[in-house]
Amino acid sequence: MNEATFRTHLQKSLAPLYIISSDETLLAIETVDAIRHKARTEGFSERDSLSSERSFKWEQFSNSLSEMSLFGDKKIIELTIATGKPGKEGAEVLSQLPNLLNDGVVVVLILPRLDAATKKTAWVKTLETIAVWVDIPLVTREEMPRWLKQRCTDMGYQIDSVSLDFLSSRTEGNLLAAKQELQKLALLYPSGTLSLEHIQDVVMDVARYDPFKLYEPLLKRDAARLVRMLQGLEAEGTALTLVVWTAAEEIRTMLKLKEAQQSGGSLSTLMREMRVWGDKEKLMPGALKNFKANMLRATLANLLEVDKAAKGIPSERFSGSPWMVLQTLMLRTIQ
């Protein structure tokens, strides 16, 4: 069930079991809050909040399900499984959950996005048949403007595309911070049009970057975003060796595909063999047309020198900050 369908569902009666699965912390929190609010309006006055950490005993969850209030109050039980893996004992309890549910109790399981192996387990298959399963995907860089625009609309703001792009670049990968920045704007500008000047005066640079997403600006040849990502990763204290390794892996993959393509190989087959999936698979064919094999080889050789510098080994080719050398090298590659 997606977010829109879930909102429609909540306008009706509560289900006995909800599963919230997401790596977007803010959206997961807001979804659980919506269930809590609905539960309160329907007379659920008690709430048990549990978390399956190391010291957690699954009998706590079973007991919470079986214990009835002395006053007959209805209860909502929230169980967070941070790893998404309940273990053998937990899997057995969750597999029995359909038999443990009773009137006057609503159970909310809070999970991360599940991997393919976990989705095939018996407890997941069992709960899928009875639960309202809300699967919330990550908000990507491309989806960020749409998400922010909807938030602005809900808050009574009008905002143009230029302002949205600026706001997206400042809050990318950090929805919680994006919400906080919008709340700051709301204190100063209660309603109306949010101009670029308003946003620039208030919004901090709170973007959070994933080094494993470097392929996005690389394949799109987006120099501005590439610089923001590298500067952001440096500011966040990300290990330079990890960033260099990630960049080298992307360049190496591109080079292998480029060489194979030049030899007459099937690009789609090669990408499957090299596990190039998802957004990267969509971007790769067009991107390869813009890169020459010689340039990719030179970039790989230079990345080795940057890696040495990151490890404290003097480079014969480069001097200065290894981060700045990496930035210059990557910009030169996409030009």
Side-chain angles (χ1 to χ4, degrees):
M1 180 180 292
N2 60 31
E3 188 177 356
T5 305
F6 172 71
R7 285 199 299 266
T8 301
H9 160 81
L10 270 192
Q11 294 174 1
K12 304 173 184 178
S13 59
L14 279 171
L17 175 62
Y18 291 90
I19 299 178
I20 315 302
S21 177
S22 180
D23 289 333
E24 285 287 12
T25 303
L26 172 66
L27 301 186
I29 290 172
E30 290 182 340
T31 302
V32 175
D33 282 345
I35 297 172
R36 289 174 187 160
H37 177 75
K38 178 67 173 178
R40 285 194 295 269
T41 65
E42 295 196 4
F44 287 76
S45 56
E46 290 192 16
R47 179 167 70 93
D48 286 351
S49 182
L50 306 172
S51 180
S52 63
E53 299 174 349
R54 284 189 175 184
S55 59
F56 178 74
K57 304 295 183 183
W58 278 93
E59 63 184 26
Q60 296 175 246
F61 179 58
S62 301
N63 291 340
S64 183
L65 283 166
S66 61
E67 289 173 353
M68 300 300 293
S69 168
L70 293 174
F71 305 100
D73 294 335
K74 292 189 285 187
K75 178 168 61 173
I76 181 171
I77 303 171
E78 299 167 11
L79 173 61
T80 299
I81 306 175
T83 63
K85 300 181 186 299
K88 182 178 180 180
E89 182 183 358
E92 291 176 356
V93 172
L94 292 175
S95 294
Q96 293 300 314
L97 192 52
N99 303 320
L100 300 175
L101 296 173
N102 55 70
D103 293 338
V105 172
V106 167
V107 176
V108 182
L109 299 182
I110 305 159
L111 310 169
R113 291 295 298 277
L114 301 182
D115 58 35
T118 304
K119 288 180 180 179
K120 296 176 183 178
T121 56
W123 68 271
V124 170
K125 293 295 184 183
T126 298
L127 296 186
E128 278 180 332
T129 63
I130 63 167
V132 172
W133 195 299
V134 187
D135 196 10
I136 308 172
L138 290 171
V139 176
T140 65
R141 174 65 180 86
E142 288 71 24
E143 293 165 342
M144 195 72 177
R146 177 198 59 79
W147 185 86
L148 286 167
K149 186 173 184 178
Q150 183 60 57
R151 290 279 162 148
C152 288
T153 300
D154 293 343
M155 295 172 71
Y157 291 124
Q158 295 83 48
I159 183 169
D160 61 35
S161 59
V162 175
S163 301
L164 271 176
D165 286 341
F166 178 82
L167 188 55
S168 297
S169 69
R170 288 298 184 96
T171 58
E172 177 185 349
N174 197 344
L175 296 193
L176 182 58
K179 179 180 180 180
Q180 292 170 341
E181 295 300 320
L182 288 175
Q183 289 171 335
K184 286 197 307 187
L185 285 163
L187 293 174
L188 296 171
Y189 312 105
S191 62
T193 300
L194 276 179
S195 68
L196 181 59
E197 290 74 19
H198 290 155
I199 296 171
Q200 288 175 329
D201 286 344
V202 175
V203 176
M204 298 172 59
D205 190 347
V206 291
R208 293 292 179 269
Y209 298 109
D210 181 352
F212 297 104
K213 292 291 183 70
L214 269 176
Y215 71 85
E216 292 179 349
L218 178 63
L219 296 181
K220 294 178 181 179
R221 301 173 75 194
D222 186 340
R225 186 168 178 232
L226 181 61
V227 170
R228 284 199 304 272
M229 286 191 73
L230 291 175
Q231 291 179 346
L233 290 167
E234 180 182 9
E236 291 169 24
T238 308
L240 177 56
T241 50
L242 172 62
V243 180
V244 173
W245 178 85
T246 304
E249 284 296 296
E250 300 300 345
I251 297 295
R252 191 175 291 110
T253 296
M254 293 170 64
L255 179 58
K256 288 181 180 178
L257 290 172
K258 186 74 175 180
E259 290 175 338
Q261 189 180 38
Q262 290 175 340
S263 300
S266 167
L267 185 58
S268 58
T269 300
L270 291 167
M271 287 195 292
R272 283 196 300 272
E273 291 175 355
M274 297 180 66
R275 300 185 177 183
V276 177
W277 298 319
D279 291 339
K280 192 184 298 187
E281 181 182 12
K282 297 175 184 177
L283 294 171
M284 190 64 75
L288 288 178
K289 297 176 183 178
N290 298 316
F291 292 92
K292 296 181 178 179
N294 287 341
M295 171 59 78
L296 295 174
R297 292 189 192 97
T299 299
L300 271 179
N302 287 330
L303 283 172
L304 177 60
E305 292 298 310
V306 179
D307 183 63
K308 289 180 180 178
K311 296 174 180 175
I313 303 172
S315 171
E316 296 180 359
R317 298 186 191 179
F318 306 110
S319 60
S321 164
W323 277 100
M324 185 56 67
V325 171
L326 175 63
Q327 179 177 306
T328 302
L329 176 60
M330 298 307 292
L331 286 174
R332 188 184 304 158
T333 301
I334 66 175
Q335 287 176 347

